[in-house]
Amino acid sequence: MTLEHGAPRKSIEAALTAGEDPTRKARSLKSLHQLWAEGACIPEVVRPVVARSWSRAGKLGTDIVPLDTSEIRERRQANEELNGLVELFKERLLSLATQAGNQLVISDGQGFVLWVLGPSAVRRRSDGIGFVAGARWRESDVGTNGIGAAMAERAPVQIFGPEHAREEQHNWVCTSAPVMNPATSALIGTITLAGSFRTAHPHSLALVSSVAREAELFLQTEHELKMQTLQLSTQLPEGEYVLVDVQGSIAAAQGYSVGSKLNLPMSMEEGRNWISGLGSIDARRTPGGWLLQRAEGQVSLQLYAGASLQAIVHSPGGATRINLSAKHWQILELLAANPHGASSGQLASLWPADTPNVTIRAEISRLRSKLRGLIASRPYRIVVPVSSH
């Protein structure tokens, strides 16, 4: 059974066809799992989604150590989007899951299980394999499983019996679907129906897929309402502007050709900023977002390798030449080659391997003082147009 879960979703495939005998299917998969576990190549008959997961995850034997109760509570409270969907998931899935001898499992975007709901008999069995609240079930933690594969594939997945990497999970079927935030494309969580492999059915995959899609449509509607509220609550100027929320989603724009989202600097501050696609702008905080307007007077930076190494700052007031040391020149060259920012590792590569971090940070700080306002941090980047001569 192959399903299409709304464009541009990947094609998804159930582990069993309707009417297929789960016990016979599990028996046939056992030998394929054994070949892979013994180090042979993954057999071609293994479902592609499972073969990809086996290749990514490997055969892991690490212990599962769940978070404690307070950490679980903190993660639930911090994930407002997922929290707002729990009642929807329970309403749509819990009753049907219980009737089918399954439990409903809700995990966050990092793979931590936050809610396990359903029949106590199923929950007792899942306790025995560490499938409990607070446990993390990424592929890199416990090998191939429904949650981890759905996270990696960014698509609904059904993992049946011996398709799981670890043998203690071979009596299970897990049908999982990721829930994405349409506004940010971020994974906010995964919903899973889990139970005995004998309860496997292709309809389970269709069900979790449709509920995940419903949740995403709910998030999209919530986002649109939030954008409308942001626009109505902000006094907009008459000239050119862009109004965005704190994630960079655009609520309103005038005089700019923009899409639906901007990549805001991680260390966005009020005042002069440089934003790809907009250029030099003045940013002003508004409740729930930022009002961005074109900065008065454009500023640019030119790297000049003449008789001496110089940075030339061009502004409406003229050109200012700043002499640079060889190290400061190297830093600026690296930042110019990485307009979205350079990592600490990239910057550290400009020094000998045993150079203390405090020395590196001090040198960068001195350069930022020379070019005050033109180099941002976290990550370090040049916030005005830059050229070389």
Side-chain angles (χ1 to χ4, degrees), residues 113-234:
V113 173
L114 298 185
W115 288 270
V116 182
L117 309 165
S120 57
V122 182
R123 293 173 63 183
R124 284 195 297 270
R125 288 179 54 231
S126 68
D127 288 351
I129 62 171
F131 199 25
V132 296
R136 187 164 62 180
W137 276 63
R138 302 172 306 178
E139 288 180 332
S140 57
D141 297 311
V142 294
T144 296
N145 69 91
I147 293 174
M151 291 175 65
E153 294 281 327
R154 292 294 197 268
V157 173
Q158 188 172 56
I159 300 296
F160 172 83
E163 291 177 336
H164 290 90
R166 293 168 64 148
E167 290 191 19
E168 65 266 27
Q169 300 166 22
H170 284 188
N171 290 325
W172 289 80
V173 60
C174 293
T175 307
S176 304
V179 180
M180 315 292 291
N181 184 332
T184 63
S185 297
L187 173 68
I188 68 164
T190 305
I191 50 175
T192 300
L193 296 181
S196 167
F197 75 90
R198 294 180 177 84
T199 68
H201 198 285
H203 288 171
S204 300
L205 187 60
L207 179 60
V208 296
S209 299
S210 64
V211 173
R213 180 59 177 161
E214 183 180 358
E216 291 172 349
L217 291 174
F218 175 82
L219 291 174
Q220 180 66 41
T221 300
E222 289 285 293
H223 175 72
E224 291 171 357
L225 290 173
K226 176 184 170 185
M227 292 296 97
Q228 292 176 14
T229 301
L230 177 58
Q231 182 176 3
L232 292 172
S233 62
T234 304

Side-chain angles (χ1 to χ4, degrees), residues 95-387:
S95 176
L96 292 172
T98 300
Q99 293 175 45
N102 279 207
Q103 61 185 5
L104 169 61
V105 179
I106 305 171
S107 52
D108 67 14
Q110 285 73 50
F112 284 99
V113 173
L114 298 185
W115 288 270
V116 182
L117 309 165
S120 57
V122 182
R123 293 173 63 183
R124 284 195 297 270
R125 288 179 54 231
S126 68
D127 288 351
I129 62 171
F131 199 25
V132 296
R136 187 164 62 180
W137 276 63
R138 302 172 306 178
E139 288 180 332
S140 57
D141 297 311
V142 294
T144 296
N145 69 91
I147 293 174
M151 291 175 65
E153 294 281 327
R154 292 294 197 268
V157 173
Q158 188 172 56
I159 300 296
F160 172 83
E163 291 177 336
H164 290 90
R166 293 168 64 148
E167 290 191 19
E168 65 266 27
Q169 300 166 22
H170 284 188
N171 290 325
W172 289 80
V173 60
C174 293
T175 307
S176 304
V179 180
M180 315 292 291
N181 184 332
T184 63
S185 297
L187 173 68
I188 68 164
T190 305
I191 50 175
T192 300
L193 296 181
S196 167
F197 75 90
R198 294 180 177 84
T199 68
H201 198 285
H203 288 171
S204 300
L205 187 60
L207 179 60
V208 296
S209 299
S210 64
V211 173
R213 180 59 177 161
E214 183 180 358
E216 291 172 349
L217 291 174
F218 175 82
L219 291 174
Q220 180 66 41
T221 300
E222 289 285 293
H223 175 72
E224 291 171 357
L225 290 173
K226 176 184 170 185
M227 292 296 97
Q228 292 176 14
T229 301
L230 177 58
Q231 182 176 3
L232 292 172
S233 62
T234 304
Q235 186 169 354
L236 299 173
E238 295 185 359
E240 299 177 336
Y241 67 85
V242 178
L243 178 65
V244 298
D245 70 2
V246 292
Q247 283 82 37
S249 294
I250 294 175
Q254 182 170 285
Y256 284 94
S257 178
V258 291
S260 60
K261 194 174 188 301
L262 292 174
N263 290 320
L264 299 181
M266 292 180 62
S267 56
M268 186 83 159
E269 299 174 350
E270 285 201 304
R272 179 68 58 88
N273 290 266
W274 174 260
I275 297 179
S276 178
L278 295 186
S280 185
I281 59 94
D282 281 324
R284 177 169 62 84
R285 290 185 186 275
T286 65
W290 296 91
L291 182 62
L292 312 177
Q293 293 181 272
R294 198 179 305 278
E296 292 296 330
Q298 295 295 305
V299 175
S300 63
L301 182 65
Q302 181 183 15
L303 303 183
Y304 182 78
S308 62
L309 300 174
Q310 293 183 329
I312 306 175
V313 180
H314 296 277
S315 68
T320 303
R321 294 177 176 269
I322 301 170
N323 291 323
L324 301 171
S325 67
K327 186 59 67 181
H328 284 173
W329 177 267
Q330 288 179 318
I331 295 171
L332 288 174
E333 279 193 316
L334 178 61
L335 296 179
N338 294 274
H340 297 297
S343 68
S344 57
Q346 288 175 294
L347 287 163
S349 69
L350 301 177
W351 279 266
D354 58 349
T355 304
N357 287 333
V358 65
T359 301
I360 297 173
R361 288 196 297 268
E363 197 65 32
I364 296 172
S365 178
R366 281 191 284 270
L367 175 60
R368 293 185 70 204
S369 296
K370 284 185 176 181
L371 302 175
R372 189 171 298 279
L374 302 186
I375 301 176
S377 61
R378 294 179 297 177
Y380 290 111
R381 66 199 181 280
I382 299 172
V383 297
V384 297
V386 59
S387 61

